[in-house]
């Protein structure tokens, strides 16, 4: 019997030469998030952890060969004897973090979001979440923050992790929030999965006098016509889109939802129930199984019927390339968000 | 070594302890009509040496900070560990008949939240040794001289995560970590050796940098010597004891069955097995 023909993903690319003129260099490919004219803060997670460790002897750091790429190297340099390089071995990093937690320590374990969510899932759920251990899993390259293609793009990590009981899931917006959230989760019992922007991270929420509160959605700016419900870096995009739309007379509210689980259903229901607004979720994640669907389910369960749209990455394996190009292509750049909202009004 | 309990200090022989562990397991199996009896009977001698020769613990204080940690990554062996912990006085004998029942502290697969003395939730295989690495690191951070034991199975050596932990333990020079491999050459679909290349067992661990011993896991004297050598070894390296055991050891009509990973025992056979065991009661 003949084997069946495979229906593989076909390449759409043909041979080409490099374009003339300005190029988007590949140096923009990995995690250097476009700061969009904003100030940036270096390695907010690493510095917050060092600051915490001054008074918290229980804090230890582990990584699976990615300390420099998760900003944990700042901690490793400050506290070399409290840093565990576990090698390119996510299963034992997570299991060892569980063991350290059992012995009374508060481990921060870092890797890329793809490796934690895809490769180490069984170890997180059984060794950590089922036991409700205080391990903080902090993961760089969430969603579309690298042009390396599906091997490094964690476009479905929230969908994967949301199914895990006991797990708190945080998708912070910027450097200010990463600094604040790191301190809060260190004090929070139980396991946490936090998405991380690393390196030079934009300062967005500083001008709003924002203070992260675990499990709380917060209105960053109010508005009449559109209610953005956004998380992670998409909150900086929706804030910018709101400014752009304001010029066209469209008044947008931005409800920032950094805690994906447990979701602040009260605030989301209350804001969506005000009526007269188009509700638009925006996330740096697949439209399948992330914030958008969580909000939709929340509203349906509560009987809140409102016009609703989702901004997010498609349920597809994304292309490789330069980030600014990809963000435009997949609809999560400021201009793409602005255009989408205009088309819906 | 046998500190912390009067029972430890008694003159009850290890053979008698192993016999009692087997008996407890058979009684629990009879109550539930099923259970991983083959593994429990096979590993009873190793557990007897663990709980009545090697480990430091306090039966009335299972979370005593000074205890040696005993991790059962093979959650389905829970019936064996419950049997040992009942004999050790960590679990009361009058709970034995609740095994596997609703609201019991002794579920079919070992879970830490349910059972005093159960250090981890096992069952998803390939987890225990990694957690043991973290606990061994934690004990060293606290300058706590306790040992971490992790009992794993030959089948678990097929899980890649086990080998991540094997390498990590060497990297961190975890001389406070002792792995115990129950090598009974049986997994769910048949002989372990037929499933994934596993030989030579001890040489592989040695090549990774462990202090490795391979013993007949049903020879009490050999197991005692191996545990003593593992604890007393002066190299800055983790230790492993590969225990070759016989499934259903001690009950010949079960030992001879072809499929022993999960033994089918007819209702009348429980009494027959207990009768055989009682006839072999050591002093």
């Amino acid at each position: 019997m003949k084997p069946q023909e495979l229906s593989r993903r076909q390449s759409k690319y043909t041979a080409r030469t490099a374009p003339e003129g300005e190029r988007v260099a590949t140096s923009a490919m990995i995690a250097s998030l476009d700061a969009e004219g904003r100030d940036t803060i270096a390695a907010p997670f690493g510095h917050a952890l060092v600051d915490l460790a001054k008074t918290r002897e229980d804090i230890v750091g582990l990584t699976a060969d990615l300390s420099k790429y998760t900003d944990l190297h700042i901690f490793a340099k400050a506290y070399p004897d409290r840093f565990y390089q576990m090698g390119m071995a996510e299963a034992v990093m997570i299991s060892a973090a569980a063991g350290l937690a059992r012995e009374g320590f508060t481990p921060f374990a870092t890797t890329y979001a793809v490796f934690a969510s895809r490769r180490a899932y069984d170890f997180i759920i059984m060794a950590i979440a089922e036991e409700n251990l205080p391990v903080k899993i902090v993961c760089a390259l969430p969603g579309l923050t690298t042009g390396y293609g599906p091997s490094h793009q964690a476009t479905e990590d929230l969908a994967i992790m949301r199914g895990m009981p006991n797990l708190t899931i945080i998708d912070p917006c910027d450097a200010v929030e990463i600094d604040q959230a790191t301190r809060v989760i260190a004090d929070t019992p139980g396991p946490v999965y936090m998405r991380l922007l690393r390196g030079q991270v934009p300062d967005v929420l500083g001008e709003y006098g924002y203070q992260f509160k675990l499990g709380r959605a917060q209105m960053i700016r109010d508005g009449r016509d559109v209610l953005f419900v956004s998380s992670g870096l998409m909150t900086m995009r929706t804030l910018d889109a709101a400014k752009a739309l304001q010029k066209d007379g469209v008044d947008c509210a931005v409800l920032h939802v950094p805690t994906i689980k447990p979701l602040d259903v009260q605030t989301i229901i209350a804001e969506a129930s005000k009526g007269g607004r188009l509700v638009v979720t925006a996330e740096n994640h697949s439209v399948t199984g992330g914030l958008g669907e969580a909000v939709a389910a929340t509203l349906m369960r509560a009987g809140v019927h409102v016009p609703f749209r989702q901004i997010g990455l498609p349920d597809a394996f994304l292309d490789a390339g330069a980030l600014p190009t990809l963000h435009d292509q997949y609809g999560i750049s400021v201009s793409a968000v602005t255009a989408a909202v205009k088309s819906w009004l | 070594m046998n500190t912390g309990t009067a029972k430890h200090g008694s003159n009850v022989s290890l053979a008698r302890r192993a016999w009692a562990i087997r008996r407890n397991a058979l009684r629990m199996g009879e109550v539930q009509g099923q259970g991983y009896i083959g593994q429990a009977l096979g590993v009873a001698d190793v557990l007897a040496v663990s709980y009545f020769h090697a480990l430091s613990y306090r039966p009335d204080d299972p979370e005593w900070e000074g205890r040696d940690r005993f991790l059962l990554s093979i959650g389905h062996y829970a019936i064996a560990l419950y049997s040992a912990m009942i004999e050790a006085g960590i679990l009361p004998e009058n709970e034995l008949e609740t095994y596997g029942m609703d609201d019991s502290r002794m579920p079919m697969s070992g879970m830490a939240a349910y059972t005093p003395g159960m250090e981890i939730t096992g069952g998803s295989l390939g987890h225990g040794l990694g957690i043991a690495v973290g606990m061994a690191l934690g004990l060293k951070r606290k300058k706590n001289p306790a040992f971490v034991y992790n009992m794993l199975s030959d089948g678990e050596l097929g899980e890649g995560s086990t080998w991540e932990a094997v390498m990590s333990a060497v990297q961190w020079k975890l001389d406070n970590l002792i792995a115990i491999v129950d090598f009974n050459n049986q997994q769910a679909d048949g002989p372990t050796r037929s499933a994934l290349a596993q030989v030579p067992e001890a040489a592989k661990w040695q090549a990774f940098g462990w202090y490795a011993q391979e013993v007949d896991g049903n020879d009490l004297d050999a197991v005692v010597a191996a545990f003593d050598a593992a604890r007393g070894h002066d190299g800055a390296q983790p230790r492993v004891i590969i225990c070759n055991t016989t499934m259903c050891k001690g009950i010949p009509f079960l030992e001879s069955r072809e499929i022993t990973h999960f033994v089918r025992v007819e209702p009348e056979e429980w009494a027959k097995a207990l009768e055989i065991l009682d006839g072999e009661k050591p002093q």
Side-chain angles (χ1 to χ4, degrees):
Chain A
M1 198 178 128
K2 247 179 82 175
Q4 283 193 322
E5 289 280 320
L6 284 179
S7 160
R8 290 186 62 230
R9 184 182 181 220
Q10 293 296 318
S11 174
K12 64 182 185 187
Y13 299 100
T14 53
R16 57 176 290 191
T17 53
E20 295 296 321
E22 193 183 340
R23 297 178 196 171
V24 184
T26 51
S27 62
M29 278 177 62
I30 199 146
S32 305
L33 199 64
D34 186 356
E36 293 152 358
R38 288 198 168 87
D39 290 341
T40 59
I41 296 170
F45 164 66
H47 288 292
L49 200 61
V50 167
D51 203 29
L52 271 168
K54 286 177 192 160
T55 54
R56 291 276 304 265
E57 288 188 10
D58 57 310
I59 287 177
V60 294
L62 301 90
T63 195
D65 191 40
L66 286 170
S67 65
K68 289 178 199 163
Y69 302 90
T70 56
D71 291 343
L72 192 67
H73 65 298
I74 307 286
F75 175 85
K77 196 174 168 196
Y79 292 100
D81 68 321
R82 289 158 71 171
F83 168 69
Y84 295 99
Q85 172 57 266
M86 300 306 288
M88 210 182 292
E90 290 78 15
V92 75
M93 176 185 71
I94 290 295
S95 304
L100 280 157
R102 286 192 164 279
E103 294 299 335
F105 297 95
T106 303
F108 279 73
T110 75
T111 179
Y112 286 162
V114 281
F115 304 135
S117 60
R118 295 175 192 166
R119 190 174 297 237
Y121 186 85
D122 187 41
F123 300 88
I124 299 173
I125 194 166
M126 289 311 303
I128 294 172
E130 202 273 336
E131 301 292 331
N132 208 25
L133 295 173
V135 177
K136 319 303 171 186
I137 301 156
V138 180
C139 295
L141 301 192
L144 182 51
T145 48
T146 167
Y148 266 40
S151 65
H152 285 59
Q153 291 160 345
T155 55
E156 83 293 30
D157 62 327
L158 298 178
I160 294 169
M161 301 312 254
R162 279 181 61 218
M164 192 182 298
N166 280 353
L167 188 70
T168 294
I169 302 173
I170 300 171
D171 188 13
C173 167
D174 72 341
V176 171
E177 188 160 47
I178 287 167
D179 176 86
Q180 295 172 349
T182 301
R183 296 163 199 272
V184 170
I185 63 175
D187 284 334
T188 304
V192 175
Y193 175 80
M194 184 167 88
R195 292 175 122 199
L196 181 71
L197 304 173
R198 54 88 170 165
Q200 291 293 330
V201 183
D203 171 356
V204 176
L205 297 174
E207 69 179 272
Y208 297 92
Y210 177 82
Q211 178 60 50
F212 171 80
K213 290 177 188 151
L214 191 76
R216 291 286 303 279
Q218 295 186 54
M219 196 59 93
I220 308 294
R221 62 169 280 165
D222 215 341
R224 275 187 327 271
D225 306 317
V226 173
L227 172 66
F228 281 117
V229 181
S230 58
S231 67
L233 72 86
M234 286 312 287
T235 292
M236 61 178 97
R237 297 284 161 82
T238 54
L239 284 168
D240 284 350
K243 281 180 192 164
L245 288 160
Q246 194 75 58
K247 288 175 190 157
D248 293 328
V250 181
D251 196 17
C252 300
V254 175
L255 180 67
H256 176 47
V257 187
T259 309
I260 305 296
K261 191 180 177 184
L263 197 64
D264 184 354
V265 294
Q266 270 189 317
T267 303
I268 290 167
I269 290 168
E271 288 298 333
S273 301
K274 284 179 182 171
R277 296 193 288 197
L278 172 68
V279 175
V280 180
T281 60
E283 61 193 307
N284 171 32
H285 184 271
S286 163
V287 290
T288 302
L291 175 71
E293 288 192 347
V295 169
T298 296
L299 298 182
M300 287 296 282
R301 287 182 193 128
V304 179
H305 303 288
V306 287
F308 179 87
R309 295 284 187 281
Q310 255 185 294
I311 289 170
L313 302 167
D315 177 19
F317 292 106
L318 307 186
D319 289 344
L323 270 188
T325 314
L326 295 173
H327 281 185
D328 270 337
Q329 180 181 332
Y330 292 116
I332 64 169
S333 66
V334 175
S335 57
V337 170
T338 307
V341 170
K342 277 186 190 169
S343 76
W344 292 329
L345 290 174
Chain B
M1 275 315 134
N2 304 326
T3 57
T5 162
K7 219 169 180 181
H8 266 178
S10 71
N11 291 323
V12 178
S13 69
L14 288 174
R16 176 70 172 270
R17 297 295 192 187
W19 174 86
I21 291 168
R22 289 191 168 91
R23 199 170 195 286
N24 288 343
L26 281 177
R27 286 177 62 200
M28 280 191 277
E30 184 177 18
V31 166
Q32 202 47 245
Q34 59 178 335
Y36 286 86
I37 288 301
Q39 290 84 342
L41 295 171
V43 85
D45 299 304
V46 179
L47 286 171
V49 173
S50 299
Y51 277 83
F52 300 98
H53 176 74
L55 292 173
S56 292
Y57 59 93
R58 292 177 177 168
D60 55 352
D61 184 11
E63 298 193 11
W64 170 48
E65 175 66 8
R67 75 193 183 282
D68 289 327
R69 279 70 169 153
F70 188 93
L71 280 55
L72 185 74
S73 53
I74 29 183
H76 58 298
Y77 277 48
I79 189 171
L81 191 56
Y82 300 151
S83 298
M85 292 200 294
I86 288 168
E87 179 63 10
I90 298 168
L91 295 171
E93 191 176 353
N94 62 15
E95 278 188 42
L96 182 149
E97 295 196 357
T98 70
Y99 167 67
M101 290 182 173
D102 292 345
D103 301 324
S104 170
R105 296 201 296 177
M106 292 186 237
M108 297 279 275
S109 187
M111 289 187 276
Y114 283 66
T115 317
M118 188 69 76
E119 298 276 1
I120 63 167
T121 294
S124 181
L125 299 178
H127 284 229
L129 197 59
I131 299 172
V133 164
M135 291 174 80
L137 288 169
L139 289 171
K140 281 181 175 289
R141 285 207 74 74
K142 294 190 283 189
K143 302 195 182 349
N144 181 328
F147 277 86
V148 181
Y149 291 82
N150 178 215
M151 176 172 271
L152 59 162
S153 66
D154 50 6
E156 271 192 297
L157 305 185
E159 296 283 358
S161 54
T162 298
W163 296 99
E164 290 187 15
V166 164
M167 289 186 282
S168 186
V170 173
Q171 186 74 24
W172 292 100
K173 300 182 169 58
L174 296 180
D175 52 10
N176 55 348
L177 173 59
I178 299 174
I180 306 160
V181 181
D182 178 35
F183 211 111
N184 54 35
N185 196 32
Q186 286 290 324
Q187 58 186 59
D189 264 354
T192 306
R193 286 193 180 91
S194 74
L196 199 56
Q198 299 241 356
V199 285
E201 290 84 24
K204 278 203 303 203
W205 291 75
Q206 269 164 357
F208 276 99
W210 285 58
Y211 171 62
Q213 303 174 78
E214 188 165 356
V215 296
D216 177 346
N218 296 121
D219 177 339
L220 283 167
D221 291 338
V223 176
V224 165
F227 271 71
D228 288 349
R231 295 182 72 103
H233 179 67
D234 61 2
Q237 61 191 139
R239 300 100 207 267
V240 60
I241 306 167
I242 294 158
C243 301
N244 293 304
T245 61
T246 301
M247 293 285 269
C248 303
K249 181 72 180 178
I251 312 295
F253 78 88
L254 293 176
E255 275 181 47
S256 62
R257 297 226 165 134
E258 193 180 341
I259 296 168
T260 51
H261 175 77
F262 195 88
V263 189
R264 301 283 163 213
V265 183
E266 302 303 323
E268 68 278 7
E269 289 181 325
W270 294 103
K272 192 178 158 195
L274 275 168
E275 194 183 315
I276 291 169
L277 195 68
D278 286 347
E280 302 285 330
K281 185 176 181 179
Q283 291 308 302

